[in-house]
């Protein structure tokens, strides 16, 4: 729970106060904080440089037990991400100290030269995002999330500022939900289980939820999707969640790749790092979690989330390289490689969603290619769209949320790399270069002339080490991005 407060720093019993400190400027106006800062800066080891921190115990005149002063660097370098990271570190410190509650001193807008809304939003996000631990498989809890995070502001907060904080909490809690699903091992999230978890979490009057089972998928001829799941003992599902306001302006469809485990199939992946492939449903998790946030934020558009859920396994019934399958759209696909399964399930799910919902915009999120990680590193997602306005809008949301997205090309002439001698298209490109691009080009063959963008999140969906506001493991990447984006489409 996160909330704004104007509580006095002199009030006794405050367990921990965190305050950001710039090395070259005073960014707080409360005289007591200025006193505390002077004490901190008098210490040899602390000058306010980035990541430096010092704890003052029971500073005189205050009711604070511990005051965590945290370096934020030179004032002109302080941006939203600096504030998120500061707040994330503060929450992690408070959790490590086994506290229940943390108070964060929100710096002055004038001093920082940034609107209060932006400061509060960034600090709120960093704090809320960090306040999550993936601990459900440990018998003993070493740490717990904080019960309450207070953002201490100078002036009585407006209704708009309170609404902003509530929205931050909704979106960050949804991000925690996505992390939970992505972090769950694959033996506990086979398609039926994942569909049940998503359905349970999303159930509310604002959302309409439906789940198609394999019999229905067969009847509707999802040939490419079913080709992926045929090797698994766990049948596939297709989850649809829709939100419809009274007079919707547009219909936006979000599609998420939901491979609950990707062995690669008969084109088996190497064993090193294979356990990471439990994250191959991070696109579906982000879409499902974003839909939960949507039900509470209530945007003006109709928003539909479509999540094809399959397990890509090796078995006597699995598809083989060289097999040819007929997709939902009617195009035949030669399976050049059973490990290029994401594009198969997305092709069917997108063709179906376009036919059913005729969206103004369709966006898919997928842990689609290792090549995208090679190209952009593991912190930045690739965005592919023929509509430059759309890819720019997505990149701008990436900038605002720091869920960074970089526009990539969709060159027509590379399409020849997907030629098949026998079928309409091959799922495996003939060149090993430009793998993220050829994967996106494959998808482009199944969206007709829809306004479409593909976001390859193979890199940023997971962070082995963790960061200032995310534990090690699943990041929940895409939830904040999508929620922000919906305001700009
Ligand atoms: N799920 C993988 C992509 C991936 C790799 C996600 C690393 C997260 C981390 C995808 O299904 C895959 O295997 N792609 C192949 C495509 C190739 C066979 C054309 C790849 O990237 O090598
Ligand atoms: Zn694969
Ligand atoms: Zn995959």
């Amino acid at each position: 729970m996160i909330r704004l407060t104007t509580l006095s720093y002199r009030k006794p019993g405050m367990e921990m106060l965190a305050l950001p400190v710039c090395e070259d400027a005073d960014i707080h106006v409360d005289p007591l904080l200025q006193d505390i800062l002077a004490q901190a800066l008098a210490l040899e080891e602390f000058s306010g440089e980035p990541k430096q921190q010092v704890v003052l115990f029971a500073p005189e005149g205050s009711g604070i037990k511990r005051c965590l002063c945290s370096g934020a660097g030179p004032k002109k370098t302080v941006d939203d991400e600096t504030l998120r990271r500061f707040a994330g570190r503060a929450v992690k410190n408070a959790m490590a100290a086994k506290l229940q509650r943390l108070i964060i001193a929100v710096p002055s807008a004038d001093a920082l030269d940034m609107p209060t809304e932006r400061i509060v939003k960034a600090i709120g996000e960093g704090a809320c995002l960090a306040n999550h631990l993936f601990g459900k498989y440990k018998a003993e809890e070493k740490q717990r999330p904080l019960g309450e995070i207070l953002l201490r502001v100078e002036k009585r907060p407006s209704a708009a500022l309170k609404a902003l904080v509530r929205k931050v909490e909704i979106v960050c809690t949804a991000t925690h939900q996505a992390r939970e699903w992505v972090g769950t091992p694959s033996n506990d999230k086979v398609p039926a289980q994942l569909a049940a978890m998503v359905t349970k979490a999303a159930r509310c009057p604002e959302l309409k939820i439906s789940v198609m089972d394999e019999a229905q998928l067969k009847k509707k001829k999802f040939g490419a999707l079913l080709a992926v799941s045929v090797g698994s003992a766990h049948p596939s599902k297709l989850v649809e969640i829709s939100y419809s306001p009274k007079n919707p302006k547009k219909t936006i469809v979000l599609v998420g790749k939901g491979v609950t485990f990707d062995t690669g199939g008969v084109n088996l992946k190497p064993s090193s790092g294979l356990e990471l492939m439990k994250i191959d449903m991070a696109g579906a998790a982000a879409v499902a979690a974003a839909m939960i946030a949507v039900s509470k934020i209530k945007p003006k558009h109709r928003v539909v989330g479509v999540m094809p859920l399959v397990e890509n396994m090796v078995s006597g019934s699995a598809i083989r390289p060289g097999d040819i399958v007929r997709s939902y759209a009617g195009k035949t696909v030669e399976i050049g490689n059973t490990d290029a399964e994401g594009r198969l399930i997305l092709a069917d799910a997108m063709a179906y969603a376009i036919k059913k919902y005729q969206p103004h915009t369709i966006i898919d999120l997928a842990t689609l290619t290792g090549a995208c990680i090679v190209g952009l590193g593991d912190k930045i997602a690739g965005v592919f769209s023929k509509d430059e306005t759309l890819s720019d809008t997505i990149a701008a949301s990436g900038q605002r949320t720091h869920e960074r997205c970089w526009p990539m090309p969709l060159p027509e002439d590379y399409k020849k790399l997907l030629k098949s001698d026998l079928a309409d298209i091959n799922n495996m490109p003939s060149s090993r270069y430009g793998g993220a691009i050829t994967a996106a080009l494959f998808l482009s063959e199944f969206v007709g002339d829809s306004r479409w963008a593909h976001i390859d999140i193979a890199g940023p969906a997971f962070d082995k080490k963790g960061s200032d506001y995310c534990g090690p493991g699943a990041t929940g990447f895409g939830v904040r991005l999508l929620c922000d984006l919906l305001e700009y489409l």
Side-chain angles (χ1 to χ4, degrees):
M1 173 54 177
I2 177 162
R3 87 191 153 75
L4 292 157
T5 181
T6 51
L7 197 83
S8 163
Y9 292 119
R10 284 165 187 80
K11 192 174 150 61
M14 244 182 238
E15 292 281 7
M16 184 187 267
L17 171 77
L19 71 160
V21 183
C22 281
E23 57 187 74
D24 56 354
D26 192 349
I27 57 172
H28 298 278
V29 292
D30 190 289
L32 181 63
L33 290 192
Q34 291 179 342
D35 270 7
I36 293 175
L37 283 181
Q39 288 176 49
L41 291 166
L43 297 170
E44 196 67 44
E45 68 270 32
F46 188 76
S47 60
E49 278 170 39
K51 290 205 170 169
Q52 277 183 346
Q53 63 178 41
V54 72
V55 180
L56 303 181
F57 292 96
E60 214 176 302
S62 77
I64 307 160
K65 288 197 189 156
R66 309 166 186 79
C67 185
L68 175 72
C69 303
S70 181
K75 189 179 108 174
K76 68 171 193 316
T77 65
V78 174
D79 60 10
D80 311 63
E81 185 62 4
T82 318
L83 296 173
R84 271 184 216 108
R85 295 181 63 171
F86 147 72
R89 288 196 301 273
V91 166
K92 286 194 169 184
N93 270 283
M95 286 195 296
K98 302 204 186 294
L99 303 182
Q100 257 303 299
R101 199 158 99 137
L102 169 72
I103 304 184
I104 300 179
V106 175
S108 140
D110 288 340
L112 210 52
D113 224 356
M114 232 194 214
T116 305
E117 293 70 29
R118 248 180 80 192
I119 300 176
V120 165
K121 187 171 184 214
I123 291 185
E125 283 174 353
C128 203
L129 287 168
N131 197 30
H132 170 253
L133 300 160
F134 185 81
K136 67 179 177 181
Y137 288 91
K138 289 263 190 204
E140 203 184 320
E141 283 178 355
K142 286 219 175 72
Q143 283 185 22
R144 274 177 188 229
L146 306 178
E148 191 174 44
I149 299 164
L150 299 175
L151 307 183
R152 169 46 165 86
V153 287
E154 283 298 320
K155 277 194 276 181
R156 233 170 72 96
S158 64
L161 197 63
K162 285 186 191 159
L164 176 76
V165 170
R166 193 181 120 69
K167 197 161 142 189
V168 164
E169 189 171 24
I170 290 169
V171 177
C172 295
T173 308
T175 307
H176 297 167
Q177 178 64 265
R179 289 180 189 168
E180 287 288 322
W181 287 327
V182 177
T184 297
S186 298
N187 57 325
D188 280 345
K189 62 174 178 196
V190 301
Q193 290 169 313
L194 184 56
M197 290 193 276
V198 164
T199 309
K200 188 169 169 224
R203 190 172 296 137
C204 68
E206 287 78 15
L207 298 176
K208 202 173 141 248
I209 307 171
S210 63
V211 182
M212 260 196 253
D213 63 17
E214 223 166 70
Q216 290 164 296
L217 291 167
K218 268 185 201 141
K219 203 163 148 218
K220 289 196 167 18
K221 302 199 166 123
F222 281 73
L225 183 153
L226 291 166
V228 179
S229 80
V230 74
S232 169
H234 304 289
S236 50
K237 301 274 178 195
L238 187 109
V239 180
E240 287 168 79
I241 305 179
S242 69
Y243 167 80
S244 300
K246 276 239 163 61
N247 293 302
K249 293 230 153 75
K250 297 165 182 169
T251 297
I252 312 294
V253 167
L254 308 172
V255 182
K257 171 178 173 181
V259 176
T260 63
F261 193 79
D262 183 10
T263 63
V266 171
N267 293 101
L268 191 62
K269 284 184 181 293
S271 55
S272 132
L274 193 50
E275 68 285 352
L276 178 70
M277 281 305 126
K278 71 172 184 180
I279 68 140
D280 213 17
M281 37 58 76
V287 168
M291 289 309 301
I292 293 173
V294 159
S295 75
K296 297 171 185 163
I297 297 170
K298 303 189 177 23
K300 55 183 190 275
H301 304 307
R302 176 183 185 213
V303 189
V304 184
V306 178
M307 290 136 278
L309 308 180
V310 305
E311 191 184 42
N312 188 21
M313 297 295 275
V314 206
S315 78
S317 58
I319 39 159
R320 318 146 189 87
D323 282 3
I324 295 176
V325 299
R326 188 175 297 276
S327 68
Y328 179 90
K331 282 189 183 162
T332 54
V333 184
E334 179 178 348
I335 310 295
N337 191 312
T338 59
D339 196 11
E341 84 298 338
R343 62 196 76 185
L344 297 172
I345 69 167
L346 289 172
D348 275 6
M350 290 205 288
Y352 163 77
I354 288 167
K355 189 168 161 208
K356 180 166 174 186
Y357 300 104
Q358 291 155 4
H360 169 271
T361 303
I362 177 166
I363 297 167
D364 76 82
L365 259 83
T367 46
L368 203 63
T369 66
C372 200
I373 315 178
V374 174
L376 296 174
D378 64 358
K379 302 282 181 274
I380 303 178
V383 186
F384 301 80
S385 181
K386 284 179 191 155
D387 188 317
E388 233 176 85
T389 315
L390 181 56
S391 48
D392 288 350
T393 308
I394 294 171
S397 282
Q399 202 65 40
R400 275 190 295 277
T401 56
H402 205 72
E403 293 198 328
R404 289 168 290 176
C405 295
W406 197 257
M408 301 278 279
L410 280 172
E412 277 297 311
D413 57 327
Y414 282 25
K415 276 191 183 163
K416 64 174 177 289
L417 301 172
L418 295 168
K419 269 216 179 101
S420 160
D421 289 338
L422 307 169
D424 296 329
I425 193 165
N426 198 311
N427 78 331
M428 178 69 181
S430 55
S431 164
R432 59 191 193 89
Y433 301 123
I437 297 173
T438 46
L441 283 170
F442 181 93
L443 297 179
S444 76
E445 288 295 303
F446 296 86
V447 295
D449 51 13
S450 293
R451 184 170 189 255
W452 158 75
H454 157 60
I455 310 179
D456 193 331
I457 61 166
F462 188 83
D463 185 346
K464 200 168 186 277
K465 288 208 209 94
S467 65
D468 286 339
Y469 53 81
C470 184
T475 60
F477 186 99
V479 180
R480 283 189 304 123
L481 179 79
L482 290 174
C483 291
D484 180 88
L485 184 61
L486 286 171
E487 291 179 34
Y488 296 87
L489 289 175

